[in-house]
Amino acid sequence: MFTDLSGPTVLVPTGSMANDQELPPPVLPDHEGAILPVPPTLPTTASLEAALEVMRSSLREARDASTDEEQLTGNCVLVVEGQQLVGILTERDAVRWALSDLPPNQIRLGAVMTHPVICRQRHECLDILATMSLLRRQRIRHLPIVDEWNHPAGIVTITSLNRVLKETFFLRFRQAVEVMSTAVVTVRPQDTLRHAIQTMALRGISCVVVTELITSRRGPSRERPIGILTERDILQMRRFALSLSTTQVDEVMSAPLACIHPADDLAAVRDRMQKLRIRRMVVANDAGELVGLITESNLMQSIDPVDLYGVYEILQRQVSILREGQFQLLSRQRFDLSRALANREFRLVYQPLLNLGQGKIRSAEALIRWTSPQHGTVPPCDFIPLAEHSGFIVELGDWILETACQQIQQWMQADGQAIQIAVNVTAHQLLEPQFVAKLLGIVERAGIPPALLKLELTESVLVENTMATALCFQELQKQGIQIAIDDFGTGYASLSYLQHFSFDTLKVDQSFVRGIHNNPKAQVIVHSVLDMAENMGFETVAEGVEDPEELQWLRNAGCQVIQGYLIGKPLPPAQWRPEWLSGAVLPPIGAATDSGGREDRQASSPGR
């Protein structure tokens, strides 16, 4: 039973603490409410004086219009080059330049801006709690929002986040003393502005509290707050060209102070700060002595949604936000890839395969490349997973199959040499209900024998849907299309699925081939694979052959076909050597591959 309720008043919702479970659960606010309009933008060549005047004008217009602070974006300027965000200038930067001997009209923004600037795209701010965590972790007040071209599109600040959060997101029944900063930096009213600004610059802080000493015979002297000097005060002060060495702090400080008590309720403190449109409040005890400082950042530290009632609803909202973000991200990625395909930014290159028994180039592997006008050369390991996750891989795969079959037909017409081309296929494509019919239609339109097309699949594809995959293989092989298993030995239970599927080719992964002439363990493994493939009627291809010693060992071991930079790099059709297409027997290979070949091969090998 509560018998003593003395002390500061605590506001308890109707129904008492015992009925908290009956209160409506908090709902996470819409992230859009925290995104403010685009602040003023200036180029890096603009002067500091121009930037300060823009900031002052924005603040003055907002005050004249009695605009709430959540709409104020004039306390910073975004710095751009060619419309792209490169930096930011905030009130805190005023502390850095205020001591400069150069006049503001001679200082360029590029020299004083904060860069690189931390920014996010709009979809990355869907989770408002994650955005708050980012601001706290990076110790920043401003988070510019940019579009996909890095053009400014808005801004999120600690103030705007505090505005959209409901009081229920602040831990109930907490007091200012629990979150306030006790290490307050102070100056005296008679100190010069230069001393105060130097103190702020050296400490990297946004304000100093102006105090006077309270002497006492019974104990040490204490400090009584009488004013505060902030970044904004310095910003306003410099326009009057005051002397830093002769002007005293008490001439420009903000006073009188709005003080709060250490026992004041946080919700009341937050409400008062918003009504007064200030970002900091000095904390003083009953004797008027300085005990701390509370800021918007301190308030942010008090937010702990996991401790609130309605945890289930909060988690539900978070799941919904993540799904929405994933959907938007995948939609944008699909749009980018679809646009690249429409603009013909993709192309196929073909790496030759050498038949060791015949000494001829009889086949090739098709590999996709993307050259983006915005991003340059994009590695397949970057865009193929995006295509798979967004579902665009089916459309892209159709284009690859069409292009490869057309290339087979062109080589047949030009040289009469039949070059079989292998194309990588993913599980998304293979498990499409109409995949077999669509593929046969592509082959028929190209006018090529089905046996000149080979599909390469990784072992992971085989475990997606074993029965459907096996039926698909039967239909394709019945029509003459061959099947190869890529990267053999590196995936899922390699030996177990050989009894369920019918293959034409096993490709030995390059990890076993590299340096095989000096690796007894790899030799045992590859010997076993070659013997097994021969007994089961599979053709064998060794990937990643780069050294003559590797080739010689594979030839002696009975490998039938090799692929790698020792034979040739992936090249556009126009750069294929005439002897590759003519069907001529190639001379024995005895020279090492080109310098840099291993690095280039590693960059081009993933997926497709």
Side-chain angles (χ1 to χ4, degrees), residues 15 27 51 133 202 204 236 292 299 309 344 362 364 428 437 447 470 511 517 539 571 607:
V27 178
S133 176
L202 289 173
Q236 298 293 343
L299 288 178
Y309 50 83
R344 299 184 179 182
R362 300 300 304 271
H428 295 80
S511 61
H517 54 288
E539 181 186 59
L571 295 170

Side-chain angles (χ1 to χ4, degrees), residues 573-584:
Q575 297 181 21
W576 263 47
R577 300 175 186 174
E579 59 269 25
W580 292 351
L581 297 172
S582 66

Side-chain angles (χ1 to χ4, degrees), residues 115-189:
H115 70 96
V117 58
I118 298 173
C119 60
R120 290 292 184 269
Q121 292 190 19
R122 186 175 293 265
H123 71 272
E124 295 175 303
C125 296
L126 288 173
D127 188 338
I128 196 169
L129 300 178
T131 303
M132 290 165 44
S133 176
L134 174 66
L135 291 173
R136 294 195 306 202
R137 189 171 64 253
Q138 298 293 338
R139 299 179 181 273
I140 56 176
R141 288 190 51 83
H142 307 81
L143 180 67
I145 305 300
V146 296
D147 61 18
E148 57 183 316
W149 298 282
N150 204 39
H151 298 165
I155 194 166
V156 175
T157 68
I158 288 183
T159 299
S160 68
L161 285 173
N162 270 325
R163 285 283 182 174
V164 300
L165 288 170
K166 305 300 181 184
E167 288 185 4
T168 50
F169 280 90
F170 293 82
L171 287 182
R172 295 166 290 168
F173 319 123
R174 296 192 66 178
Q175 298 175 332
V177 68
E178 299 179 57
V179 298
M180 70 182 186
S181 301
T182 56
V184 185
V185 180
T186 62
V187 296
R188 299 288 179 262

Side-chain angles (χ1 to χ4, degrees), residues 269-338:
V269 171
R270 174 175 175 268
D271 183 62
R272 190 177 178 191
M273 289 176 68
Q274 291 186 352
K275 287 180 179 179
L276 295 174
R277 299 181 187 175
I278 56 178
R279 301 201 301 258
R280 312 164 186 86
M281 295 193 76
V282 174
V283 186
N285 59 19
D286 292 330
E289 300 166 341
L290 175 68
V291 295
L293 182 73
I294 192 164
T295 67
E296 284 184 318
S297 297
N298 296 132
L299 288 178
M300 296 285 279
Q301 298 294 335
S302 72
I303 298 174
D304 189 358
V306 176
D307 250 4
L308 295 173
Y309 50 83
V311 172
Y312 176 72
E313 288 79 5
I314 290 176
L315 294 178
Q316 270 193 325
R317 173 63 173 162
Q318 293 297 298
V319 170
S320 175
I321 286 174
L322 290 173
R323 286 175 177 170
E324 180 184 351
Q326 183 185 42
F327 176 77
Q328 291 186 6
L329 180 61
L330 291 178
S331 297
R332 191 178 73 255
Q333 290 169 346
R334 185 183 180 98
F335 172 76
D336 291 342
L337 293 171
S338 180

Side-chain angles (χ1 to χ4, degrees), residues 15-28:
S16 81
M17 294 168 57
N19 295 323
D20 277 350
Q21 66 272 18
E22 298 178 6
L23 294 174
V27 178
L28 284 176

Side-chain angles (χ1 to χ4, degrees), residues 406-477:
Q406 291 170 7
Q407 188 58 55
I408 294 173
Q409 198 269 345
Q410 290 174 14
W411 274 338
M412 288 178 60
Q413 285 188 337
D415 301 279
Q417 166 75 349
I419 299 290
Q420 184 188 58
I421 293 182
V423 176
N424 289 270
V425 176
T426 68
H428 295 80
Q429 299 169 260
L430 194 66
L431 297 179
E432 265 202 309
Q434 301 300 318
F435 176 73
V436 173
K438 182 166 56 176
L439 178 59
L440 294 177
I442 291 173
V443 171
E444 184 178 357
R445 286 193 299 273
I448 62 172
L452 292 183
L453 178 65
K454 179 181 290 186
L455 303 184
E456 288 193 3
L457 305 99
T458 58
E459 297 175 21
S460 60
V461 173
L462 306 180
V463 299
E464 294 285 339
N465 190 323
T466 303
M467 183 62 69
T469 303
L471 292 175
C472 182
F473 281 9
Q474 292 176 9
E475 289 295 321
L476 292 171
Q477 291 174 318

